[in-house]
């Protein structure tokens, strides 16, 4: 089992570099603003969201039937359909297809599923070269990192750093940082990889039960080159990627790019309904824990996620702490819901990487109640006894305090004096992790209780509030 | 893999069936309302389309005929400099690469200019629908350095709902919406045109029957 990863510790390093944290925040806020402009430009936006949400809820409820319908229609179109219960089986299926071709060179476009299954390392140890062809993913791959965002994998990296990486691996001018120049170098490099590859792997944005086809959306055209040059195309998808009808695409295609990057549509929206003549098309349907999430009334709707990343772009915690602080394949609000479902203990801190501001829920194009689900996770994590002692001890102390008015009054009196007179080092130390990033407020001279006794004695609380409101002119 | 894969298929389906989930009705896209009542529409879809094509990084030229399109092309430096040109729009515009004579799409790696026809365009996002019905190698659409698409101004519709209504059921194995040239913003969110696919996209909005 993987070690427990704590978000605050991982985030601390990123936040320590204040200018980088601010830069990251600004870059994502820019994307979020573009999303807002696009959402506001369509009067039917809310109608689209609720329709999308219902279509996904219907799909998830009827998943076994819809999967079988998809399989039958895909097979009728000459597609090979594979089923994988977990990540390992997925990786074995993909490797076997590649081996049957005697192939060693693979190009892969973005797929969070293959990331989740750790496909690249599996293929690499078996002697297969896998080149990520999305520019952001290629940059991250060369640097030996993981993507920090599901739509913008290299959003955490500055152009000067990309320049250094390309100088090292692609022989570009040392010190060059012009995005146009660097992109051109990557274009030349990746073209040679596209032409050499024997197999192309892509993800799937939407698979259509009614037609047995699927759709892949990119701006760069990398999935399209990877699927149209090599003889063999393998498409890997989670079982939740299905939609029932082709017309449903109209709803999702309109929502996806607008929510993701603020574009009206991605440059390429490719519909695959069968192999090219003389070629092979494989689809791998992967469960890997999805059916378990479907069992849960609380978290089921998270399977409707279309991986647009809007919740990350708007999240105040993600924007400042960077995607790597989540130590999960899918970071941000949706990742903080999905990751604990896969391994609650390992990801127990993620539902707390959230201010419950609700912005993620507001922007989600399929109306997943993300911040409610994060709150639910907190309750489940506490009831499973997975909270760190620092939190449980504080909660117990708080509970005791609020149940005993005399102790509460005494603690208040002590606190008011202590905060004023104690040296800072006594208040802000390791016993008070809360105080690491926050200043305690200036304590009032008297307590509310004593103020009440002096000014409002004899009146009930209700009357007192009324007279206060009248004074404030409410 | 064979029997194990079959086992996994059954295991996944059994697992899904073991849990009854409250049924949710599959909605009509806009309930009882028609698409034109709910979804955005435009008084002049071709004009809106032309504007959107430019907004997503393409160049949109409104022409009366294919001859006029050719005249415009011949004024274009990119087209004049293109050594290997492929035309899929008929004899009005000549090319020197014949897709039908090419066996392996890898041989298209030096293609400089492709001009093809799109079935229709969508005003809300500047996307055009192209299938592999008349395109022997779908790779040609993506591997070419520069792409020009011809679309009838009478084929322009307002939104994606109308688009999928029009597509009906896919008859060919491949169809793609293309909106603008290939692009990326993966380096510090700076928009760069020409990532892996075409560097430029020229759209000829031609005044001929759809």
């Amino acid at each position: 089992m993987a070690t427990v990863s704590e978000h605050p510790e991982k985030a601390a390093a990123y936040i320590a570099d204040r200018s980088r944290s601010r830069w990251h925040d600004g870059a994502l806020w820019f994307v979020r603003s573009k999303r807002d402009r696009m959402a506001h430009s369509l009067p039917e936006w809310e109608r689209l969201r609720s329709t999308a949400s219902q279509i996904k809820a219907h799909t998830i409820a009827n998943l076994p039937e819809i999967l079988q319908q998809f399989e039958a229609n895909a097979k009728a179109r000459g597609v090979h359909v594979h089923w994988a219960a977990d990540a390992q089986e997925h990786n074995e299926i993909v490797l076997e297809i590649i081996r049957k071709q005697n192939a060693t060179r693979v190009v892969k476009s973005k797929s969070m599923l293959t990331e989740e299954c750790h496909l690249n390392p599996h293929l690499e140890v078996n002697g297969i070269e896998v080149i990520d062809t999305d520019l952001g993913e290629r940059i991250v791959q060369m640097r030996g990192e993981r993507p920090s965002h599901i739509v913008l994998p290299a959003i955490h990296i500055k152009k000067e750093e990309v320049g250094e990486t390309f100088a090292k691996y692609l022989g570009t001018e040392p010190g060059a940082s012009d995005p146009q120049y660097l992109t051109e170098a990557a274009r030349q490099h990746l073209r040679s990889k596209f032409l050499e590859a024997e197999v192309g792997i892509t993800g799937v944005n939407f698979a259509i039960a009614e037609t047995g086809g699927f759709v892949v959306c990119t701006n760069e055209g990398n999935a399209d080159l990877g699927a149209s040059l090599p003889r063999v195309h393998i498409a890997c998808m989670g079982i939740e990627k299905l939609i029932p009808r082709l017309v449903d695409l109209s709803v999702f295609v309109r929502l996806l790019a607008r929510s993701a990057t603020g574009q009206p549509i991605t440059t390429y929206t490719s519909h695959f309904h069968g192999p090219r003549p003389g070629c092979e098309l494989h689809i791998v349907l992967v469960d890997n824990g999805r059916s378990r999430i479907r069992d849960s009334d609380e978290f089921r709707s998270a399977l409707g996620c279309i991986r647009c990343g809007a919740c990350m772009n708007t999240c105040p915690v993600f924007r400042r702490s960077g995607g790597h602080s989540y130590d999960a394949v899918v970071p941000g609000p949706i990742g903080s819901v999905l990751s604990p479902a896969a391994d609650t203990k390992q990801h127990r801190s993620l539902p707390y990487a959230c201010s419950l501001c609700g912005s993620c829920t507001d922007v989600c194009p399929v109306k997943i109640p993300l911040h409610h689900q994060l709150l639910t996770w907190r309750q489940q994590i506490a009831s499973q006894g997975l909270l760190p002692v620092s939190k449980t001890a504080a909660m117990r102390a708080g509970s005791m305090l609020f149940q005993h008015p005399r102790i509460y009054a005494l603690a208040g009196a002590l606190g008011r004096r202590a905060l004023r007179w104690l040296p800072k080092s006594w208040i802000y130390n390791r016993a008070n992790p809360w105080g690491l990033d926050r200043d305690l407020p200036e304590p009032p001279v008297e307590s509310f209780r004593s103020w009440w006794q002096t000014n409002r004695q004899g009146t009930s609380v209700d009357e007192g509030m009324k007279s206060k409101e009248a004074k404030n002119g409410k | 893999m064979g029997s194990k894969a079959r086992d996994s298929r059954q295991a996944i389906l059994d697992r899904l069936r073991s849990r009854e989930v409250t049924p949710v009705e599959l909605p009509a896209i806009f309930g009882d309302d028609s698409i034109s009542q709910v979804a955005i529409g435009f008084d002049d879809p071709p004009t809106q389309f032309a504007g959107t094509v430019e907004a997503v990084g393409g160049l949109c030229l409104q022409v009366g005929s294919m001859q006029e399109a050719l005249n415009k092309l011949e004024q274009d430096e990119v087209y004049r400099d293109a050594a290997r040109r492929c035309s899929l729009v008929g004899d009005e515009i000549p090319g020197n690469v014949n897709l039908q004579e090419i066996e392996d799409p890898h041989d298209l790696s030096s293609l400089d200019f492709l001009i093809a026809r799109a079935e229709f365009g969508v005003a809300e996002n500047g996307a055009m629908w192209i299938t592999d019905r008349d395109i022997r190698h779908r790779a040609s659409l993506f591997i070419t350095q520069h792409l020009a698409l011809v679309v009838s101004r009478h084929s322009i519709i307002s939104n994606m709902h109308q688009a999928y209504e029009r597509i009906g059921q896919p008859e060919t194995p491949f169809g793609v919406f293309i909106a603008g040239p290939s692009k990326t913003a993966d380096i510090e969110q700076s928009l760069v045109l020409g990532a892996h696919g075409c560097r430029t996209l020229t759209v000829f909005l031609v005044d001929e029957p759809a």
Side-chain angles (χ1 to χ4, degrees):
Chain A
M1 182 184 268
T3 49
V4 175
S5 163
E6 299 286 345
H7 180 268
E9 286 166 21
K10 301 250 171 191
Y14 203 83
I15 301 167
D17 186 343
R18 294 189 65 163
S19 69
R20 183 180 285 264
S21 176
R22 213 168 284 154
W23 165 81
H24 190 262
D25 176 28
L28 287 165
W29 188 253
F30 172 66
V31 185
R32 152 80 208 259
S33 311
K34 285 199 290 178
R35 173 256 167 225
D36 286 354
R37 273 204 297 282
M38 277 294 159
H40 296 152
S41 73
L42 287 186
E44 67 271 31
W45 185 256
E46 289 305 316
R47 194 87 181 252
L48 284 172
R49 287 179 73 212
S50 47
T51 309
S53 170
Q54 276 177 59
I55 294 171
K56 278 292 183 182
H58 168 88
T59 309
I60 294 160
N62 297 284
L63 200 50
E65 295 74 31
I66 286 178
L67 275 167
Q68 282 180 288
Q69 188 193 2
F70 173 75
E71 180 191 41
N73 288 326
K75 280 184 167 171
R77 290 179 181 270
V79 180
H80 301 274
V81 181
H82 310 261
W83 299 69
D86 56 26
Q88 194 197 336
E89 196 178 353
H90 161 265
N91 293 348
E92 284 166 9
I93 290 169
V94 173
L95 178 63
E96 192 169 326
I97 299 168
I98 297 168
R99 282 207 167 134
K100 271 196 185 148
Q101 304 296 321
N102 292 317
T104 55
R105 286 167 298 189
V106 173
V107 283
K108 181 164 88 51
S109 73
K110 193 151 60 192
S111 143
M112 295 323 294
L113 176 82
T114 58
E115 197 68 38
E116 165 189 329
C117 294
H118 305 287
L119 176 67
N120 286 18
H122 180 78
L123 296 182
E124 281 156 8
V125 297
N126 283 286
I128 313 284
E129 179 195 69
V130 197
I131 300 291
D132 284 327
T133 57
D134 172 89
L135 178 58
E137 286 213 325
R138 185 72 187 116
I139 293 168
V140 178
Q141 187 182 36
M142 283 180 191
R143 294 167 63 91
E145 294 178 10
R146 303 278 296 276
S148 73
H149 186 291
I150 60 172
V151 174
L152 316 160
I155 187 81
H156 60 292
I157 301 170
K158 298 197 171 189
K159 59 187 182 206
E160 291 77 15
E161 295 162 330
V162 176
E164 281 167 34
T165 305
F166 280 16
K168 188 169 162 194
Y169 294 98
L170 302 181
T172 52
E173 289 294 317
S177 64
D178 173 43
Q180 182 90 42
Y181 167 79
L182 296 172
T183 302
E184 182 62 33
R187 175 183 174 99
Q188 300 303 336
H189 156 70
L190 283 163
R191 279 225 157 195
S192 71
K193 296 295 177 187
F194 281 120
L195 289 166
E196 284 171 11
E198 299 142 311
V199 173
I201 298 177
T202 70
V204 166
N205 288 94
F206 307 102
I208 308 117
E210 174 191 44
T211 65
F214 62 94
V215 169
V216 182
C217 306
T218 76
N219 279 319
E220 298 177 7
N222 56 315
D224 316 275
L225 275 172
S228 62
L229 283 169
R231 263 196 71 251
V232 178
H233 173 189
I234 309 172
C236 303
M237 59 176 275
I239 53 176
E240 83 286 11
K241 288 276 169 178
L242 277 158
I243 53 172
R245 307 163 296 199
L246 193 81
V247 290
D248 298 326
L249 278 175
S250 66
V251 176
F252 291 100
V253 166
R254 296 188 85 197
L255 286 168
L256 179 65
R258 286 186 172 95
S259 299
T261 54
Q263 294 171 252
I265 188 172
T266 48
T267 301
Y268 300 99
T269 307
S270 288
H271 300 55
F272 297 92
H273 280 93
R276 283 140 57 206
C279 298
E280 287 178 26
L281 176 56
H282 296 260
I283 294 173
V284 190
L285 297 165
V286 186
D287 181 347
N288 204 33
R290 285 160 177 74
S291 56
R292 209 169 48 235
I293 298 176
R294 181 176 173 272
D295 286 348
S296 144
D297 292 331
E298 290 88 356
F299 302 118
R300 183 174 305 126
S301 64
L303 290 180
C305 173
I306 58 172
R307 302 292 191 266
C308 69
C311 60
M312 306 169 194
N313 301 341
T314 201
C315 175
V317 177
F318 181 94
R319 291 204 315 264
R320 285 163 183 83
S321 63
H324 286 154
S325 62
Y326 292 78
D327 203 18
V329 172
V330 179
I334 182 65
S336 301
V337 169
L338 296 175
S339 307
D343 186 339
T344 314
K345 189 170 178 213
Q346 190 197 341
H347 298 291
R348 67 186 184 188
S349 71
L350 294 188
Y352 297 86
C354 164
S355 64
L356 295 178
C357 73
S359 184
C360 48
T361 304
D362 289 341
V363 298
C364 176
V366 289
K367 290 191 148 188
I368 302 168
L370 286 159
H371 74 289
H372 295 284
Q373 294 186 346
L374 290 169
L375 188 59
T376 305
W377 263 126
R378 293 187 188 188
Q379 289 157 359
Q380 297 205 0
I381 285 163
S383 69
Q384 286 178 40
L386 290 173
L387 279 183
V389 180
S390 59
K391 277 207 172 75
T392 50
M395 287 293 178
R396 265 197 299 277
S399 166
M400 197 266 287
L401 203 62
F402 292 126
Q403 285 174 49
H404 299 88
R406 276 166 198 281
I407 302 180
Y408 179 79
L410 178 69
L414 286 173
R416 278 190 301 283
R417 280 176 187 81
L419 280 180
R420 258 196 307 267
W421 303 114
L422 283 180
K424 276 211 155 207
S425 63
W426 284 43
I427 301 168
Y428 298 105
N429 55 37
R430 286 157 63 127
N432 173 22
W434 193 89
L436 285 177
D437 303 299
R438 304 169 180 91
D439 269 338
L440 288 165
E442 180 86 357
V445 183
E446 63 175 344
S447 72
F448 177 72
R449 181 193 295 261
S450 85
W451 176 90
W452 185 270
Q453 277 161 357
T454 322
N455 293 287
R456 291 286 186 277
Q457 213 158 24
T459 55
S460 75
V461 175
D462 278 350
E463 286 169 48
M465 288 310 287
K466 264 183 217 146
S467 74
K468 203 174 171 195
E469 279 170 12
K471 234 186 254 169
N472 292 340
K474 279 189 187 164
Chain B
M1 179 168 81
S3 70
K4 197 187 164 202
R6 268 196 301 281
D7 292 348
S8 291
R9 176 184 184 278
Q10 203 53 54
I12 293 169
L13 291 172
D14 288 349
R15 173 116 188 90
L16 293 171
R17 291 223 167 83
S18 69
R19 179 68 159 84
E20 189 78 29
V21 174
T22 320
V24 178
E25 208 170 317
L26 179 61
I29 297 299
F30 286 124
D32 293 334
D33 300 326
S34 71
I35 287 170
S36 57
Q37 273 176 296
V38 180
I40 200 162
F42 304 98
D43 295 337
D44 181 4
T47 302
Q48 174 72 27
F49 173 79
T52 318
V53 165
E54 306 253 332
V56 296
L59 173 69
C60 189
L61 300 171
Q62 310 214 25
V63 292
S65 66
M66 292 303 280
Q67 182 58 48
E68 199 183 331
L70 180 61
N71 294 346
K72 296 249 187 202
L73 273 179
E74 283 171 342
Q75 290 162 28
D76 176 26
E77 208 176 316
V78 163
Y79 180 78
R80 281 204 309 266
D81 291 348
R84 303 232 307 151
R85 299 171 185 164
C86 174
S87 165
L88 300 171
V89 296
D91 297 336
E92 288 108 322
I93 296 178
N96 57 15
V97 173
N98 184 348
L99 276 195
Q100 298 305 326
E101 286 170 6
I102 287 173
E103 286 303 317
D104 181 348
H106 291 82
D107 296 340
L108 292 164
S109 65
S110 59
L111 186 63
D112 296 303
F113 207 102
L114 173 72
I115 175 160
R117 206 173 268 281
E119 288 182 17
F120 62 87
V122 187
E124 70 159 312
N125 53 25
M128 286 157 284
W129 177 249
I130 303 146
T131 69
D132 57 356
R133 194 191 316 270
D134 304 312
I135 300 179
R136 177 160 186 213
H137 297 291
R138 49 176 98 150
S140 62
L141 290 167
F142 313 110
I143 204 165
T144 184
Q145 296 291 331
H146 301 275
L147 178 64
L149 292 174
V150 174
V151 62
S152 162
R153 63 178 290 120
H154 305 288
S155 77
I156 306 301
I157 52 183
S158 284
N159 59 53
M160 291 303 285
H161 307 293
Q162 294 163 338
Y164 281 102
E165 256 185 4
R166 186 171 166 158
I167 291 170
Q169 290 304 305
E171 284 159 13
T172 57
F174 184 73
V176 58
F177 282 107
I178 297 183
S182 161
K183 58 177 79 72
T184 183
D186 273 345
I187 300 177
E188 270 201 28
Q189 285 298 294
S190 315
L191 181 67
V192 179
L193 301 184
H196 306 296
C198 59
R199 299 170 185 275
T200 65
L201 174 74
T202 309
V203 179
F204 289 108
L205 196 51
V206 59
D207 195 2
E208 61 176 28

